[in-house]
Amino acid sequence: MNGIVSGFLLVSALGLPLLLAFPPLHRRLPWPVHIALLPAIALVFIPVDLCIELPWFLLGTGLGLDAGSRWWLAISVMMWGVIAIFLLPPNGRNVHHPLTSLFLLSLTGQMGAVLATDMVSFFALSTLMGYACIGLLLADADETIRRAGRIYLVLLILADIILFEAMVMAEAISEDLGFATLARVISLSNSLDLYLSIVLVGFAFKVGLWPLHIWLPLAYATARPATALMLWVGPVATGLLGVLRCLPLGEVSAPMPGGALLFLGAVTILYVIFFCFKRAQRRQQPAYFATIVTGSFVMGLGAGLSDPALWSGYGDLAPIFVFTMGLVLAIMIVSFEWSMAKGEISGANKVDRTLLESWFEAFVHWGRRAGIDTLPDFRALWLARRDGLRQKRIWQRAFDAGEYFLQRWSFALTLFLLLVIVTVVLLFLDAAAVL
Amino acid sequence: MNWNTALPLMVLGSSLLPGLMIFFLSEEHVVARTSLNLASAILKIVLIGGMFWGMLHGHHYESRLALLPGLDLVLRAGPLSMLFVLLSAGLWLVTTVYAIGYLEESPYRSRFFGFFSLCVTATVGIALAGNLMTFLVFYELLTLCTYPLIVHRGTEVARKAGRTYLIYTIFGGALLLLSSVWLYTLAGTLEFTDRGFLSGLDTSLHPTLILIFALLIAGLGVKAALFPLHGWLPLAMVAPAPVSALLHAVAVVKAGAFGIVRVVYDVYGIEFATDLGLTLPLAILASATIIYGSLRALFQDELKRRLAFSTVSQVSYIVLGIAVAGPVATIGGLIHLVHQGVQKITLFFCAGNLAETLGIHKISEMNGVAWRMPWTMAAFTIGAFGMIGAPPLAGFFSKWYLARGALDAEQDWVILILAGSSILNAAYFLPILYIAWFKKPPDSWPAERSFGRNETSWALLIPTVVTAMMTLALGLLASAPFSLLEWASQIVNRGFAQ
Amino acid sequence: MNFPTGAGTDHCKRMKLLPMELILGEVPWIVVLIILPLTGGMACFLFPTISKSLGLLTSLAVISCVWGLGWQLEEDGAQRYAIGGWGAPLGIDLYADGLSLVMVAVAALVGLGISVYSSSYFRRDKANHFWPLWLFLCGALNALFLSSDIFNLYVTLELLGLTAVALVALADGSEALTSAMRYLLINLMGSLFYLLGVAFLYHSFGSLDIAILAQRVEPSPAVWAAVGLISAGLLLKTALFPMHFWLPAAHASAPAPVSALLSALVVKASFYILLRMWLEIFPIVGISFAQLLGLLGSAAVLWGGIQALRQTRLKLLVAYSTVSQLGYLFLAFPLGMSIAWKGALYMLLSHAVAKAAMFMAAGNILAAGGHDRIADLSSITQRLPLTLTAFSLAGISIMGLPPSGGFIAKWLLLEASIQSGQWWWGAILLLGGLLAAAYVFRVVSHVFTQAEATHEAREVPARMEWTALVLALVVIFLGVFASWPLAMMEIGSPFGGGS
């Protein structure tokens, strides 16, 4: 009985938002996002660990909730609820908001990633979340945010590809992608270093750590605090969760990657403090605060990775840390959003392209003009030449003349007699050879 | 003649006879033609379902017709055949519905549907072929039946495309004929066998076998659109959308890829082919095609042309999976045979919907079209993400198994190819989605037809949505019992000695 | 055409003979096959008013006689029949084995098609001339295929040639007359050379019977001269490459059923004689001559193909295609294996049927549109779907694509060429196929072009369209049910045992 209820709750925590994402279903509902969050809220308050197996789904997967992920789920539910209030306000006459679908999709993805118990479903759901978030960014009225969305799209694709390799590797090593066993098996493998570096690079793309942060400042520069918060709870926090799940923390001591993480986290924090806070308007402060939280979390991870003992001692605090910080963020945002109820929207519309964009466009432009379709062009050339040949007098004449001569009596008779002679001569030669 | 020998023939006849009958119907007999078409498509699926059921219960389906001394025309149901047969029969039903909607009111429909049925007959023959000779017979038949469909519109462009198609495919067919005869003189049999029939030959013949393999791949590669031989495919997109679907997903391109699977598995045997050192060049060729096709797709503004180059790239995944020569990678190749078909057919249906409803042929005309045709573009989005390999759609699992198999076979470079291809796929598909969903729609479309409250006619929309759902289902239910994945694993286990 | 395949031993079958089968076994079908069309021709000549029905009836009767002969051969193996009871050295023998049976069967089958087609093609005045000539020609063909005597072969060859010339001259216009004249001269010259060779042989060995010659013949200058003369004469009549000059003109200017007849059957007759002699009398001939024949054959394949591609008129295209296809037959000579002979014979068989269908289709187009310019075909072809289907199906065989008789033939020849290590003949086969595809699709692509009807088209009788289609379908069936004809060829093992 308990199993059925918990299974139902787990599935509906994802299924309900997914279902409501269909426009016809949520069009007439007031507060669709909050309705979609109900099963998840129920999950947060059931104080037992839940788990269901879905062997027929994807590559065999499961959903589960334990003490650690309960904190994540709690913060997610709270954040999404808060964001939805500000981003998708029902405006009386027309309840429907065109972005609700995308919003619900990213919500599903994020919560699914929290509940997932193996890498493949985690990956699938976080990808769903990522693309839906990008959709939300791209649908924004502000050009800068749209650009941020496009850049994040590129980073996300790269991150997904890199993580894909990491997953394939993990499966090749462990034959099982459940998070429960993954860490232990991985830590025994001899390609651990490669795995660690791939995972770290992949998540660095997703989370927006220092050298790959381009899109975050762009998005934060003009976004409303609620959007910024969504970006944090969506891509960034999920990325952090992913690192937490995929790294063999507490199992293995890896000073090099650990050191690198510490360094990156520190640089991110410093970068935000020195370059952004100075210039930021007050309303952007939550966003930068979020980045600092990210940086410190990464530092914590780095420390844990270099010293397993440290992680064993304090690892359980990580979700609580995230929860607390999330709470602080949420409160900040609520206050800012209320205080700027006048709602002036400013946007710096200067569009300077990043290197990546200009490269891509130049590449496509160049490719379109160069037309490197070798064989079809070659073939076209060849066909043209054949047509040329057909038109060319010399060949025409050769065949015409050949047929003309062959049809003359004198020529034909000569040929015929020649054939007789050749035949007889050949026969003689053959016979001579035999005899 | 009992059921076991009659059933393969009936499966073949279930589209052959209606096809021939349709030729004799006049244009006005819309109802008769439509019901004949649909009835035969459904009958075929029922028959194949029966055959599948019987196969699971240990029946052995085989029909033979003596053709030459020592060589028969053989139709046999095996796991690999069933994979392809189910794919083409299933997609045929969907495509028939689509074609009925697409060609409403256009001339020469009897001719079109007649050849359409013959094409599927040829494809089913290719799938069920029990030896190389039978395969060749149906392979050539397919060439002949697709030509009228490609030139169906009768314009100068269409005729040119048809001519190019013929030049390529007849040449390929000649190579295939040569290599089949050659193999026959060497081995004395052409019967497809698990793990091949050539490994027993004398070692002095190995150079010849390598040459024959090259000829076979060249012959089949024309249809599979392998790199230097793909030129006909982008040109053939002038044909009506159902024909493109047929070319890219149901029949032609698949026949080439399926042939390569057959040659590597059931003629040479995967282990023997690896011993001869044939798989690595094949893998390199496939990789080159994957990258080249994606690169070319990036530069196309015409939607169908971009999709065509995408096919060039995607079909080579199948070949790559085979050529990596490990069991897991082969599973990836085999499931991609189906996945690519379902995804690509969705995309072509969408392209057809756009062209028929709004007159849109170019990507640059697609600004905001998603808000005019949300269902179509939702299906397109699913198909495109599947092609990119985003989880949990079908394409993800193809890539997953390919990458996994490459690691198993210790050919790590393949992963780089997959990664590069994914990036390129994203680079040419996502801009389309961006333009369609997030740009402002223009005031008027190039040539809009009104369908009342619906975005387009039902016959066009339902097949599109159905195939998009299939893409989703193939991914989500990958591990379910009787799934494609399980089936492919079974096929592969027969091919490897372990 | 049903060909019975018996099982069990002869002894058992003899015990259970039914009266019907007794009759089948007793009648000398060989003789009936020759007498019947000749009598029919006579009757047509005497009663011109009912010549159409008489002709059709005779053609049907010939088919059933072939069936009887086939039954007989299947039961008892190769048959030898001495006319009037006089044995070989003195009298004239008729001989039937698998090779002759296949030839006779093709002649009967195509003949029936031509009869049906002609029954609606010719107007009254032409028909009066056509039917007697055609039935005489049919008789001559059967006699030729069944003779086992080289002089008798000469006689039938002459009869065949003369009736063929007369048939060509049936067409109106001076062009037809000129080509008929040229055709006559060629025929006479070919026969003359053949006769010279026969004289050499008779002088040396004192016999005209093939079987006896086969035993007695031994290498000597006279034999070589005879082989040279006979072969040259026959090659001229078969229109092998440099001597093909008369063929396109004659075949293209004749009336459609006559073109079909000439291309399908008449040129094959001289090839049959050459083949028969090669198999029976010429085994002593060395390989260089065979290579020469192969070389000329390849040249014919390529030259004919290229010329066909360059033609602007449909009937000329089809005629040059015949030149090209005849070249294939000669590729068997350098290969010289049993499967190569079977392949060549199968090629002959399917080409006969396919080319008849093609010429009939061309005739329909000409009848409907009044012209056969390839460039302007679009408007005509779309009104004749059946005809164009026939043309395309026959074209499949000409290209050698499956499923068709041409494919089987090509497969066998290719197999022989690879088995004997002479792969270059295989390359010619493939090249010829590509050329054929090019010229066939030049015509077929017009079906799919959108075109406005420019002028009124005349009605084509349904019977003419259907005949072409049925013949074309026969070629397709030849590609699917290949084991029957192949088993037929085996009777009396004319190509030696084994493969």
Side-chain angles (χ1 to χ4, degrees), chain A residues 88 97-103 131-150 227 230, chain B residues 371 433-434 437-440:
Chain A
L88 311 169
H97 195 278
L99 294 180
T100 312
S101 289
L102 281 175
F103 193 84
Y131 283 115
C133 272
I134 288 167
L136 283 173
L137 287 179
L138 290 178
D140 203 285
D142 190 278
E143 171 59 26
T144 323
I145 294 185
R146 288 211 295 271
R147 269 189 69 212
R150 290 201 291 271
T227 312
M230 187 195 71
Chain B
W371 300 108
L433 298 184
Y434 176 70
W437 286 101
F438 297 113
K439 288 227 170 160
K440 258 198 182 26

Side-chain angles (χ1 to χ4, degrees), chain A residues 109-301:
Chain A
Q110 198 269 342
M111 292 205 303
V114 171
L115 294 176
T117 57
D118 74 320
M119 264 180 117
V120 174
S121 45
F122 177 84
F123 185 66
L125 287 159
S126 66
T127 311
L128 176 67
M129 186 267 305
Y131 283 115
C133 272
I134 288 167
L136 283 173
L137 287 179
L138 290 178
D140 203 285
D142 190 278
E143 171 59 26
T144 323
I145 294 185
R146 288 211 295 271
R147 269 189 69 212
R150 290 201 291 271
I151 296 170
Y152 179 52
L153 178 61
V154 175
L155 292 179
L156 180 74
I157 291 168
L158 292 177
D160 277 352
I161 286 169
I162 293 170
L163 288 178
F164 178 77
E165 319 305 352
M167 268 195 318
V168 170
M169 241 182 99
E171 212 225 348
I173 293 170
S174 73
E175 300 285 328
D176 180 12
L177 287 171
F179 289 126
T181 52
L182 188 67
R184 203 174 55 254
V185 182
I186 290 281
S187 61
L188 301 174
S189 143
N190 42 10
S191 40
L192 175 70
D193 285 338
L194 184 61
Y195 173 77
L196 284 183
S197 40
I198 293 181
V199 168
L200 289 181
V201 172
F203 280 111
F205 272 102
K206 275 204 164 181
V207 172
L209 279 182
W210 165 57
L212 305 167
H213 63 279
I214 324 156
W215 65 279
L216 273 177
L218 270 178
Y220 287 169
T222 48
R224 291 171 58 177
T227 312
L229 185 63
M230 187 195 71
L231 288 181
W232 189 77
V233 71
V236 178
T238 314
L240 293 178
L241 177 67
V243 186
L244 203 63
R245 288 276 162 82
C246 296
L247 286 186
L249 289 161
E251 299 276 350
V252 71
S253 164
M256 271 296 286
L261 276 184
L262 273 171
F263 173 73
L264 285 179
V267 168
T268 309
I269 294 174
L270 290 178
Y271 179 85
V272 171
I273 290 175
F274 286 119
F275 291 94
C276 303
F277 261 132
K278 275 197 300 190
R279 278 180 273 163
Q281 300 160 339
R282 257 184 69 231
R283 66 194 185 92
Q284 290 169 346
Q285 278 171 6
Y288 292 113
F289 178 69
T291 316
I292 292 179
V293 172
T294 314
S296 43
F297 190 84
V298 170
M299 283 180 74
L301 281 179

Side-chain angles (χ1 to χ4, degrees), chain A residues 369-388:
Chain A
R369 292 189 61 182
I372 51 165
D373 209 352
T374 49
L375 200 84
D377 274 355
F378 175 66
R379 184 188 45 73
L381 203 76
W382 177 71
L383 275 181
R385 187 160 294 165
R386 202 196 65 175
D387 284 347

